[in-house]
Amino acid sequence: MDFKEIIEDIYKKTAALKNKGQIASYIPELLKIDPNKFGVHISTIDGFNFGIGDYQDKFSIQSISKVLSLSMAYNIVGEKIWKRLDVEPSGTAFNSLVQLETEKGIPRNPFINAGAHVICDILLSHLKNPKEDFLTFVRSITQNSEINYNTKVVTSEKSVGYRNVALCNLIKSFGNLDNEPSEVLDFYFHLCSLEMSCQELSQLFMYLANDGKTIDNSQQILTKSQSKRVNALMQTCGFYDESGEFSFKVGLPGKSGVGGGIIAVHPDQYVIAVWSPNLNEKGNSYKGMCFLEEFTTKTELSIF
Ligand code: GLN
């Protein structure tokens, strides 16, 4: 399979498309990003790496970090994690409050904001220095000490995070947070502010293509079964109320963020990361989705 030629060809075609959608304007700091940035990077299980466009630019990974926080918490507490949250698609927006009320503070899944708050709460209860320890965990997966939080994005999001505040307080009122909402939110906003490039992301997430092990096989981030389950959750819940559409058009487990990034995993084959900041109305990268649809169509490498 000539990934390089296929990616170059689809990149050219996708770059020429009208850049529909909008940058996530509700986080003021994200509005500073050039909407025409566009990068792609693939890492394969047999060691092939290729990037094109702005694949080395760092951007705000936002909700992609929810896969990392879930992985860390799952590794620490194991299956009892599912007592605190469910594994069902929500069919609602990432920041929706509706289901939480009727479902008594148990979030539908770890990839909507409410679910990520519960995961942050679990990590806060288990880590000595949560922000430092989380960063160390992420950096150690690829031995990459360049990965950092962006405190400007943290401050910016805190200044407008009314929905997240509401979600956390609602969960707390049902007794599903052990820590104070303000501590959970501070940790959550830091995780969302992590900055990485497409190249770093595709290399970092190789453990989900490699049965939970880092690509050099030196670290077991998740057990084989946990890795399968995290992929299953990305398949069914990774794109909020567009998860069905992503499955339908792309056919890979994946996760998006409002910074315009998407990672998609083909277990046992490859991880691909795409970044284009303009988002469609569901909060997922417009060109990122277009690119990935073409990619799995041309390569015939979706999981279906
Ligand atoms: N930090 C963002 C928020 O909480 C993350 C949302 C996202 O990337 N979908 O609103």
Side-chain angles (χ1 to χ4, degrees):
M1 180 78 63
D2 191 345
F3 281 129
K4 181 173 178 290
E5 199 178 306
I6 295 172
I7 289 173
E8 281 171 341
D9 182 49
I10 305 173
Y11 182 88
K12 232 187 275 160
K13 283 191 193 132
T14 316
L17 293 176
K18 189 167 178 282
N19 198 5
K20 289 195 197 156
Q22 281 186 336
I23 288 197
S25 56
Y26 75 100
I27 304 175
E29 193 63 24
L30 295 186
L31 270 176
K32 294 184 183 161
I33 297 153
D34 174 0
N36 295 315
K37 289 282 179 185
F38 184 27
V40 178
H41 191 275
I42 189 168
S43 301
T44 72
I45 203 87
D46 47 18
F48 175 77
N49 280 280
F50 175 70
I52 190 163
D54 303 306
Y55 72 97
Q56 287 176 316
D57 285 23
K58 284 178 183 282
F59 59 92
S60 195
I61 73 164
Q62 292 293 320
S63 283
I64 297 175
S65 68
K66 293 179 168 82
V67 183
L68 299 167
S69 47
L70 170 65
S71 298
M72 192 182 194
Y74 204 5
N75 174 296
I76 297 172
V77 300
E79 294 310 313
K80 62 176 189 290
I81 200 169
W82 307 119
K83 289 191 180 141
R84 302 272 308 269
L85 67 167
D86 211 339
V87 293
E88 291 299 335
S90 67
T92 57
F94 60 88
N95 53 9
S96 172
L97 285 128
V98 211
Q99 289 160 340
L100 264 188
E101 172 72 5
T102 48
E103 295 171 7
K104 303 200 168 18
I106 302 290
R108 278 281 173 114
N109 66 67
F111 296 149
I112 49 172
N113 289 14
H117 295 153
V118 170
I119 295 290
C120 282
D121 183 62
I122 294 172
L123 287 174
L124 282 176
S125 300
H126 283 86
L127 303 176
K128 258 206 189 106
N129 301 299
K131 284 182 241 174
E132 292 78 1
D133 295 352
F134 182 76
L135 206 50
T136 305
F137 167 77
V138 175
R139 286 174 171 177
S140 77
I141 299 176
T142 42
Q143 320 288 321
N144 180 348
S145 57
E146 309 272 286
I147 299 171
N148 263 309
Y149 302 122
N150 179 333
T151 48
K152 279 192 186 154
V153 174
V154 175
T155 311
S156 179
E157 211 175 340
K158 271 190 186 169
S159 71
V160 293
Y162 304 111
R163 273 193 165 262
N164 282 310
V165 172
L167 284 164
C168 251
N169 280 300
L170 193 51
I171 303 170
K172 181 78 179 171
S173 77
F174 281 108
N176 196 17
L177 287 187
D178 294 328
N179 299 278
E180 281 307 309
S182 58
E183 290 172 66
V184 173
L185 288 164
D186 177 62
F187 189 37
Y188 170 81
F189 291 138
H190 273 84
L191 305 198
C192 290
S193 83
L194 272 184
E195 291 191 324
M196 275 183 241
S197 65
C198 289
Q199 181 171 26
E200 289 168 330
L201 279 170
S202 70
Q203 288 166 352
L204 178 70
F205 281 104
M206 281 307 282
Y207 68 93
L208 290 174
N210 194 35
D211 292 334
K213 289 190 300 285
T214 51
I215 193 65
D216 61 0
N217 291 326
S218 67
Q219 283 183 75
Q220 190 86 46
I221 308 299
L222 294 170
T223 65
K224 195 171 175 178
S225 158
Q226 288 173 334
S227 173
K228 179 195 73 182
R229 290 183 160 181
V230 172
N231 276 312
L233 283 165
M234 291 203 294
Q235 185 74 44
T236 50
C237 314
F239 297 81
Y240 321 110
D241 43 344
E242 204 169 35
S243 299
E245 181 102 352
F246 190 82
S247 239
F248 184 74
K249 289 186 169 163
V250 180
L252 291 174
K255 184 76 201 80
S256 61
V258 293
I262 298 180
I263 55 139
V265 180
H266 193 311
D268 302 325
Q269 300 257 7
Y270 63 83
V271 176
I272 190 161
V274 186
W275 175 47
S276 168
N278 271 5
L279 309 178
N280 64 22
E281 62 290 347
K282 308 275 177 161
N284 299 314
S285 168
Y286 170 71
K287 283 199 177 178
M289 298 263 292
C290 296
F291 179 92
L292 290 169
E293 181 180 0
E294 273 298 296
F295 181 75
T296 53
T297 306
K298 285 264 156 64
T299 57
E300 296 181 15
L301 279 177
S302 86
I303 64 162
F304 300 107

